[in-house]
Amino acid sequence: MNKKALSIYKVTEITMWGHEDNPRYFKSPIAAEKDFHRRVKIGITHENLPDRSCNNDPPPWKIRVGSEENVRLKATIRYWDSYHTDCGTEHDINEYEILFEEIAVV
């Protein structure tokens, strides 16, 4: 007897340090994709995105079809980050990712 694998869908953010943040799980791929696009929209409208001042700079945000096995969509959002040090305020461009993954449950 063949059992059909059940799929669930996960949308999560990967911080600049590689940690998973705010994962959500869905039964419906449509609901998961809507959450993915909602998170991307929040990222590109609420973050301080860098300009493409030089042709060598990557775009401030990008959505790709997942190249990894379970990843359906992957977004990268680059933003200006500031932090305080002994020398004063430092500024740097950081990035985080948003992943839409399919997980097979047997």
Side-chain angles (χ1 to χ4, degrees):
M1 183 165 143
N2 261 345
K3 288 187 178 182
K4 187 176 178 184
L6 173 69
S7 292
I8 58 172
Y9 305 90
K10 179 172 79 167
V11 179
T12 190
E13 296 170 21
I14 307 297
T15 67
M16 64 182 172
W17 298 287
H19 297 110
E20 199 172 273
D21 191 25
N22 197 17
R24 290 191 64 200
Y25 298 89
F26 300 88
K27 292 180 183 178
S28 164
I30 296 169
E33 188 170 352
K34 283 181 182 179
D35 186 59
F36 172 84
H37 289 292
R38 179 188 64 79
R39 291 180 191 221
V40 171
K41 183 178 179 182
I42 289 171
I44 63 177
T45 57
H46 289 85
E47 296 287 357
N48 186 11
L49 303 180
D51 292 331
R52 287 188 76 176
S53 57
C54 178
N55 289 337
N56 295 334
D57 288 346
W61 63 278
K62 185 176 184 177
I63 297 176
R64 298 175 302 285
V65 174
S67 58
E68 296 145 29
E69 185 177 331
N70 297 331
V71 176
R72 286 189 164 197
L73 293 170
K74 182 179 190 177
T76 303
I77 299 177
R78 301 174 70 237
Y79 62 97
W80 277 107
D81 192 16
S82 60
Y83 46 92
H84 301 288
T85 66
D86 294 340
C87 299
T89 302
E90 302 278 336
H91 300 279
D92 198 6
I93 295 176
N94 288 318
E95 66 183 35
Y96 68 96
E97 295 179 334
I98 301 169
L99 298 179
F100 168 26
E101 300 175 83
E102 180 176 357
I103 301 169
V105 180
V106 182

